[in-house]
Amino acid sequence: MPDRTRTGTGTRRPVERGLGWLRLPLIGAFGFLYLPIAVLVVMSFNASSIPFVWTGFSLQWYPTLASNPQVLQGLLNTLVVAVAATVGATILGTLLAVGLARYTRSVLLEAYSLAPAIIPDLVLAIGLLILFTSIGLTLSLFSVVLAHIVFGMAFVAAVVTARIGQTDPSLEEASRDLGATGPTTFLRITVPSLAPAIIAGALLVFTLSLDEFVIAFFTDGPRTPTLPIVIYSMVRFGVTPEINALGALLLLVSFTVVLAAQRITRLTDAL
Amino acid sequence: MTSMAATPLIRIRGVGKRYGSVTALADVSLDIHHNEFFALLGPSGCGKTTLLRAIAGFEDPDEGSITLTTGDTQPADAGEVDLLALPPNRRPVNLMFQSYALFPHMTVSANIAYGLEREGLARSEIARRVADVLVTVDLQDKASARPRQLSGGQRQRVALARAIVKRPKVLLLDEPLSALDRRVRADMQVELKRLQHEVGITFVVVTHDQEEAMSMADRIAVMEHGRISQIADPVTLYQRPVSAAVADFIGMSTIIPGQAAVDGFTALGERLPAAPSGVIGPALLVIRPEDVRLHADDPTDAAMGSLSGTVLATHFFGGTSTTTVTVAGLGRPVLATQIGPPAHRIGAVVRVGWPAERAIVLPDTP
Ligand SMILES: Nc1ncnc2c1ncn2[C@@H]1O[C@H](COP(=O)(O)OP(=O)(O)O)[C@@H](O)[C@H]1O
Ligand SMILES: [Mg+2]
């Protein structure tokens, strides 16, 4: 098999020398990207309870956060939704991608399958709300999970489809040729050869679900708010350092998951 | 060993396959015998892979039948199985893919064991057979390597081991050597032939390289545009091609269009040496370079033919040399091979002739 260019940071482009002034826009763009985040993280260590005035360093907001039952319940709800949606979206998205690759040559169908990842959240949210109420489904964490699976599986399908395009289609045929049934081939050959993409897709869905607000807001029941909804209701009474601390923690989780995704895909790729 | 007379191992009859407007296979019929090294030879796109995949079960022919003789080589207890009715995983044949299709997430021994595990064999039996086949292909020290860590030749041997360890009735090989560089390829030709003898499995090899087919195969089917042009052993194919296309594809040749009559062959207004062939009317005369004789032009020399030409180029290969002669009126130059250095200088005028019995006269059907 020919060597493929691998994803990740395996190969580095040569760094451009000279033209130093071009670095200015680069620095500017990065500043624009990360300044708000930096402000949030810094302010989460602010001693003052007035969120815009720095009075000194303090860790007090983190313990405060941990003792806020509303936040803890929201966090629990969000984790339940994220885990369930990740499992569902990963399984369905993988099956969707494999099915699309195997049984159709329709580019249109492929585009449609990815649509939930692209269409505006608001449209998807309203559509799901109408669907759920018209079939008499009580809004709860369960309906949020269903909603997150809908857009999550589109992301998984997109990532896995890209990977299928790079794998040798004769691997599955070789497995059949050696006497394996269809299901055995799927579990022993198809899934392992797509594993890096499946894992990457799963982690992507997990991070997306973790801070998803619009769809959850429309499809959640009133008694089981997810963390973003809890934060939203807290922010309505003003941004407190407590919320900054919560934001910093969410950031930490997201970064960790993204780094883990990179690590794992590179690890399985190397096998 | 040679009970090939009675029942063929694989019987292919009237197989056709179309992809939209492309006819990949048209009315293909052939027999493959027990323990035979059979080659499918033809230019790229002539349908070789399609035929192989139809035997393995990855293409459904539009028409025709493919059957396999079960039981032993004894005609008495031979039964026939309709291969087309079986899914690929239940056909007693194995295909070695052009890309080798080694499972990248498994070690070499796991790749080889995969097919045996599917048969539900005992672990100890699997381990023993994997170890044995690793010795056969000389890869004992690579058992726990991953495919990506192997060279092209080593991957090819793993793919081969993975297929033969199943002890199939027939091993189908799609361009098994095309991914290898020239030197390794020559070694592997010898190696494949040795292996086929050793394991006693019928091999069907697809190739577009006529030298490869000639040097390895017991019999060759030459294919063109989805059809079989000729099936014969290499010597017959070379000496008695049924069409100019086959003659042109197998080895070097000079082809001269002309008219055949009961008493001989005429081209360019001259009688050319040719044995009676039974062909009457528009015909092609095919002559191999090693049969062509060149004589210094002497008008009084009436021996052999009466074509004359000018030496265009000479090539000396050490043991043999080839002289290229342009003959006025012929589209392509005449090639002559002889032992030793070239006997004529560039620009010399020479007479071109050949023994009549070496000339092949074929009907010129457009
Ligand atoms: N899956 C397919 N879809 C459409 N055309 C195909 C397909 N497979 C093969 N063909 C066509 O059938 C013809 C024979 O192909 P193939 O058997 O691969 O030739 P070979 O192996 O001799 O090079 C070619 O013209 C090829 O383009
Ligand atoms: Mg081919």
Side-chain angles (χ1 to χ4, degrees), chain A residues 152-177:
Chain A
M153 69 187 274
F155 279 99
V156 174
V159 178
V160 174
T161 297
R163 175 83 185 187
I164 290 176
Q166 298 179 349
T167 43
D168 180 359
S170 45
L171 288 184
E172 289 180 348
E173 287 182 342
S175 166
R176 297 278 284 159
D177 188 67

Side-chain angles (χ1 to χ4, degrees), chain B residues 200-221:
Chain B
I201 295 173
T202 302
F203 275 29
V204 180
V205 173
V206 156
T207 178
H208 62 263
D209 180 340
Q210 54 101 6
E211 273 181 46
E212 195 168 288
M214 301 278 280
S215 68
M216 291 194 297
D218 299 319
R219 286 195 309 145
I220 299 171

Side-chain angles (χ1 to χ4, degrees), chain B residues 21 67 140 150 171 198 200 227 253 260 306 308 312 322 334 341 362:
Chain B
S21 62
T67 54
Q140 301 93 304
L150 303 178
L171 178 58
E198 198 173 306
R227 293 179 180 279
S253 58
S306 43
S308 83
L312 181 70
T322 298
V334 177
L362 300 165

Side-chain angles (χ1 to χ4, degrees), chain B residues 338-351:
Chain B
Q338 69 200 81
I339 294 177
H344 305 277
R345 287 158 170 267
I346 294 175
V349 176
V350 292
R351 267 178 186 279

